[in-house]
Amino acid sequence: MGALRARRGRPRDADPLLGGGGQARAAPQTPDAVPANELSGKLLPVPPGYVLGPDLDADGNNFFIAGEKAVEGFKESRKGLSSSDRKKRDEMFAELKLKGLAGRTYADRDGAKMVAEVRIMQADPKAVGKFSEVSKKVLDQLKDGREAPKVEGFPDAKCGLFTVGEKKGAKIESVFCVAVEGDVMVTFRAYGPKPLSQSTAVQFFRNQMSHLKSPGESA
């Protein structure tokens, strides 16, 4: 499956649900570091019929970023924020007490019918719940008008559908989902040529959530 990459740089900020940053407070309470193998073990193993997918920019396709390094990366990725926005973001991260980020991408073996991206963030349980609610609101604002699929067994999960491109033959469809299990927030994106199988994408996300809830199991 490839070696896990422990990143010390900035996390990718293209994900609309888990991107952006700001400066860490001068002296926040530093949470205990999460071992890379513990957090990455919460990611769904590469299932049969899939291989590791494309890199998420400099993070690679199978990565872990320690909490303090993740905050530093968010700071670097949002240098253009106003002072008031930086203050709000500082307060959010101080409350969040980020412990670590991990991510993995997956691609089907049959010719890029679907690529899936999973990112998980471990932080203070109460704060991560609030952060997920904000992410769900962002998802509501960005998704297109189609009815979003539900995730069986995870009623609090939120998904949205997106279509990219104007020409009929060149359109790419994607499914975004976000959910929380304990102190971990999961953001998920699946994309592929239209028509993308929504059921396949949502089942993949459901398998990730099932693995997170009961490691070693999938729906």
Side-chain angles (χ1 to χ4, degrees):
M1 184 174 64
L4 179 71
R5 296 177 59 181
R7 287 284 299 149
R8 293 185 175 275
R10 54 188 286 183
R12 183 185 188 225
D13 60 358
D15 189 336
L17 305 183
L18 186 57
Q23 186 173 344
R25 278 187 172 182
Q29 180 180 353
T30 303
D32 293 334
V34 180
N37 60 340
E38 179 179 325
L39 189 56
S40 62
K42 299 179 185 298
L43 290 165
L44 182 70
V46 179
Y50 287 83
V51 295
L52 284 173
D55 286 353
L56 296 173
D57 289 343
D59 293 331
N61 57 10
N62 189 32
F63 65 88
F64 165 79
I65 307 172
E68 69 277 7
K69 294 298 180 183
V71 172
E72 289 176 12
F74 282 126
K75 172 184 173 181
E76 292 174 3
S77 66
R78 284 296 182 267
K79 289 182 178 179
L81 289 176
S82 67
S83 58
S84 60
D85 286 340
R86 285 198 302 270
K87 181 179 179 181
K88 291 177 182 178
R89 188 66 76 170
D90 292 351
E91 292 172 351
M92 182 198 71
F93 276 107
E95 179 183 4
L96 195 59
K97 298 177 183 177
L98 185 62
K99 297 178 181 179
L101 302 174
R104 184 172 293 157
T105 69
Y106 313 76
D108 68 275
R109 292 180 181 272
D110 297 329
K113 293 180 181 177
M114 186 181 82
V115 172
E117 302 172 350
V118 176
R119 297 174 180 81
I120 59 176
M121 175 181 72
Q122 191 166 20
D124 178 80
K126 292 182 179 179
V128 82
K130 294 179 181 179
F131 190 81
S132 72
E133 291 305 313
V134 173
S135 297
K136 290 176 182 179
K137 290 180 180 178
V138 172
L139 184 59
D140 276 333
Q141 294 173 353
L142 295 178
K143 68 181 183 180
D144 62 30
R146 292 175 294 166
E147 182 177 357
K150 305 294 183 183
V151 185
E152 183 181 352
F154 298 92
D156 293 332
K158 182 84 171 180
C159 294
L161 303 176
F162 302 80
T163 303
V164 179
E166 296 297 332
K167 295 181 180 180
K168 185 176 180 180
K171 283 188 176 179
I172 299 295
E173 289 190 320
S174 64
V175 177
F176 273 99
C177 298
V178 60
V180 170
E181 181 65 37
D183 64 349
V184 175
M185 186 178 88
V186 180
T187 58
F188 170 82
R189 178 193 180 212
Y191 62 90
K194 185 179 181 180
L196 176 68
S197 173
Q198 295 180 25
S199 60
T200 299
V202 172
Q203 182 62 49
F204 200 104
F205 177 60
R206 183 173 179 239
N207 288 348
Q208 168 62 72
M209 295 305 299
S210 297
H211 174 76
L212 183 59
K213 188 173 183 179
S214 302
E217 297 182 11
S218 61

